[in-house]
Amino acid sequence: MKLISGLVALFLPLASCAFAGTATPVAFAPAKPLDISLTADTGWRQDHFEWTIAGDQQGRHPNILSDLDWTHLEIIPVSLGAELRLRDHWRVQLGGSYGWIADGRNRDSDYDANNRQGEFSRSHGDTSGHTFDAAFAIGYDLPEVIQRVTLTPWIGLDYHQQHLTDQNGVQDVDTLFHEIGPFGRLHSTYEAEWRGVSLGLDAHLRTSNTTRIVLGARYELVTYYATADWNLRSDLTGFKHRANGDGWRLSAGYEWIPAPRWMLGLHADWSLFQTRAGTDHTDYSDGTSSETRLNEVKWTSVGVRASLTYRF
């Protein structure tokens, strides 16, 4: 309820200024020869991010050596997008979103036996940072087979980034040196990138002349790349992750035209991305390097956002 109230409080002044003195609301109109709209939105999302590595390149000794987990990443995203609609049913979309990680937690566990047995080190801390997402897509509005329902398939390019900074570390388990408790100077970073192509489908169901329900799905084939700097590890200069994977993004929303050229929306989003086995490449301070198996990277996200669209 607090989240919804906050979104309403944010957009109500904008709506009041924009719609004051306008004419009677108009229905969803067909595209003009060149129809351009701009959309701004903001809201809240929560991410969960995790990866594990094995002890060797074959995924053994043990099958999970290290497990890094970032949870409850509370993110405030701000997005701006543009859409070009043509009379012959084609659409082009371009958009970007920047998110501030306002709060988050991390955990780092190491094991000397298979299946997360024999934990010899575990620490936790706080996480901050930012996210960035960008997309370009081309779509085509199919002829209405069902009355009031428009289907639009899409093909596009997508980019997602998470920049995570860990601080305020606390050692929970240490069977080697038995040093338990807070430790200072932690400022480790992990920057992940997902690049890929996407196929999607949107469905618009007009519930009245000025309102509609919007459902969307995107499937992405991605290449994953990440770099890390564990600042308290003097024996390391950093490590890199590479893998291939895929992911789904689903959305549902309600949109309303309160006045000519303006549209308000409320949307819910969910996504799941996962890689297959890849490579963990570590560089050491003495100039040597080693590689082991990156077992898997998993990223899930859920959120809500309010949008404001202006049609030229």
Side-chain angles (χ1 to χ4, degrees), residues 102-275:
D103 192 21
R105 301 290 180 270
N106 64 78
R107 177 185 57 83
D108 182 351
S109 291
D110 297 318
Y111 307 92
D112 59 14
N114 286 337
N115 304 317
R116 294 185 173 88
Q117 299 299 310
E119 185 179 32
F120 63 87
S121 176
R122 181 174 74 241
S123 63
H124 73 271
D126 299 325
T127 298
S128 59
H130 63 266
T131 64
F132 179 74
D133 302 90
F136 171 81
I138 298 174
Y140 183 81
D141 292 336
L142 299 176
E144 285 191 7
V145 178
I146 304 174
Q147 189 177 11
R148 290 180 171 270
V149 177
T150 301
L151 297 178
T152 307
W154 295 92
I155 183 170
L157 302 174
D158 295 87
Y159 175 82
H160 312 283
Q161 181 191 91
Q162 299 93 21
H163 187 100
L164 308 172
T165 301
D166 297 337
Q167 298 172 308
N168 305 322
V170 178
Q171 192 72 34
D172 302 308
V173 175
D174 183 357
T175 64
L176 299 178
F177 304 104
H178 306 287
E179 296 179 356
I180 304 299
F183 54 91
R185 300 183 298 108
L186 177 64
H187 193 82
S188 295
T189 61
Y190 188 82
E191 184 171 308
E193 296 181 341
W194 312 72
R195 304 170 185 261
V197 297
S198 64
L199 296 174
L201 181 67
D202 286 349
H204 295 84
L205 170 62
R206 295 188 302 278
T207 53
S208 72
N209 286 337
T210 58
T211 59
R212 66 183 180 185
I213 295 172
V214 182
L215 303 175
R218 299 286 190 278
Y219 174 73
E220 296 184 26
L221 289 172
V222 297
T223 298
Y224 179 81
Y225 176 76
T227 59
D229 176 19
W230 273 196
N231 74 302
L232 296 182
R233 290 286 303 271
S234 59
D235 58 324
L236 305 180
T237 60
F239 60 91
K240 303 178 180 66
H241 287 162
R242 297 181 185 272
N244 295 319
D246 59 3
W248 283 94
R249 292 187 290 124
L250 305 178
S251 63
Y254 182 80
E255 295 178 338
W256 168 52
I257 295 182
R261 300 184 181 274
W262 293 95
M263 182 169 66
L264 293 172
L266 185 62
H267 309 264
D269 304 297
W270 175 88
S271 63
L272 168 63
F273 285 79
Q274 200 164 2
T275 73

Side-chain angles (χ1 to χ4, degrees), residues 50-52 64-69 107-109 111 116:
E50 180 182 12
W51 56 261
T52 69
I64 296 178
L65 173 64
S66 294
D67 182 354
L68 276 293
D69 196 1
R107 177 185 57 83
D108 182 351
S109 291
Y111 307 92
R116 294 185 173 88

